[in-house]
Amino acid sequence: MIDIHCHILHGVDDGAKDMEESVAMARIAYEDGIRDIIVTPHFNDTFLVEADLMLRKSEELQRELDRQGIAIRMHPGNEVRFEGNALFTDYKRSGKFAYLGSPAKYLLFEQRWTFYNDETPEFIERLLHDGVTPIIAHPERHFFFRDTPELLLELIELGAWTQVSADSLVGNFGPEAAQFGQWLCETGRASTLATDSHNVNRKPNLRAGHDLFVQYAGAEALEELEARTKLIIQS
Ligand SMILES: [Fe+2]
């Protein structure tokens, strides 16, 4: 399995605090059946992990995993929060954040927690116009998407993908996130699944997410989801 959203890099954000924890998370991920991880440190007002630091840390961790014989391949990425329009445009232009995989084809795009930015559709359109598919990070965890699903449906209609978190489906973010996540799976609106794991407690658990997805959407839909996810690391 491929995890496209994971805060496994050591000491850069609120994810793994040191190399030891990164390796422990990688072991859990391997046991879970994960073989590829896109590292997605935060790129937001609180943790602005720029692409060059992400790459350096990712290479460091890869070397350690290779040394310890943990057969997981790391891929570059960021979880980019849409903090503000001008800011986003500036960072995009100067290449400060990383796309998923490496070429500018997929972007893990997160909303703020407190309110929905009305200019999101416009930015989604711009990204798509540039050949980038935005992947909306864990929409089921945002109250405004749950309260007004039309906001999310509009983005999907435009061509955005979604990333539903395994932890939401298993109920770790409460019943509302679980229900909305289930609805996204059932209605064919969960483009990808990921762990968004941060440490050995909030750990990689993609298998549990895949199992629930099969219950909600069927085995064939899971095959499609896995094929779609593969495109991201093959881009
Ligand atoms: Fe995240």
Side-chain angles (χ1 to χ4, degrees):
M1 294 185 292
I2 303 164
D3 190 5
I4 66 159
H5 184 171
C6 185
H7 299 265
I8 194 171
L9 288 188
H10 46 298
V12 291
D13 61 2
D14 57 346
K17 58 183 182 309
D18 52 28
M19 178 65 90
E20 203 183 333
E21 187 159 36
S22 298
V23 172
M25 285 172 74
R27 285 194 188 281
I28 295 170
Y30 187 85
E31 286 302 311
D32 195 47
I34 293 166
R35 295 295 178 267
D36 290 274
I37 294 178
I38 303 185
V39 301
T40 51
H42 289 294
F43 190 90
N44 61 35
D45 275 351
T46 318
F47 300 107
L48 198 70
V49 185
E50 295 187 6
D52 52 355
L53 175 62
M54 176 277 299
L55 279 175
R56 223 166 44 237
K57 288 275 185 170
S58 178
E59 283 162 11
E60 215 176 292
L61 179 56
Q62 184 71 63
R63 274 198 299 277
E64 187 57 22
L65 297 187
D66 292 349
R67 199 182 67 79
Q68 297 203 28
I70 303 169
I72 290 185
R73 181 72 27 211
M74 320 291 290
H75 305 267
N78 266 126
E79 177 181 17
V80 180
R81 189 177 294 165
F82 192 36
E83 299 278 15
N85 314 349
L87 203 64
F88 179 79
T89 305
D90 280 357
Y91 287 142
K92 184 171 182 288
R93 196 176 296 130
S94 55
K96 291 258 193 259
F97 58 71
Y99 296 83
L100 299 187
S102 182
K105 287 193 75 177
Y106 298 93
L107 178 69
L108 187 60
F109 195 67
E110 188 194 27
Q111 285 292 322
R112 281 176 162 172
W113 294 101
T114 42
F115 67 94
Y116 177 68
N117 186 329
D118 286 337
E119 287 179 273
T120 304
E122 188 189 320
F123 275 76
I124 294 281
E125 278 185 313
R126 276 197 219 170
L127 285 163
L128 287 161
H129 182 262
D130 293 344
V132 176
T133 300
I135 304 178
I136 312 295
H138 40 62
E140 76 284 355
R141 295 185 54 206
H142 293 274
F143 76 88
F144 41 78
F145 286 141
R146 295 195 302 251
D147 290 350
T148 318
E150 293 73 25
L151 295 175
L152 180 63
L153 298 184
E154 181 186 8
L155 306 181
I156 294 172
E157 192 89 341
L158 289 173
W161 288 9
T162 61
Q163 173 264 305
V164 171
S165 292
D167 261 345
S168 300
L169 297 182
V170 302
N172 288 345
F173 292 119
E176 290 181 322
Q179 277 159 23
F180 195 62
Q182 178 174 348
W183 179 75
L184 290 172
C185 296
E186 286 170 347
T187 57
R189 294 182 175 109
S191 320
T192 64
L193 292 177
T195 70
D196 193 10
S197 58
H198 278 64
N199 48 55
V200 291
N201 299 312
R202 193 174 160 189
K203 63 183 184 187
N205 59 349
L206 200 49
R207 178 70 62 198
H210 276 208
D211 289 349
L212 284 167
F213 184 87
V214 170
Q215 278 183 39
Y216 301 150
E220 205 176 307
L222 180 66
E223 273 177 35
E224 287 167 16
L225 178 143
E226 289 194 287
R228 192 180 302 120
T229 307
K230 220 171 187 177
L231 292 175
I232 302 170
I233 58 166
Q234 287 174 342
S235 64

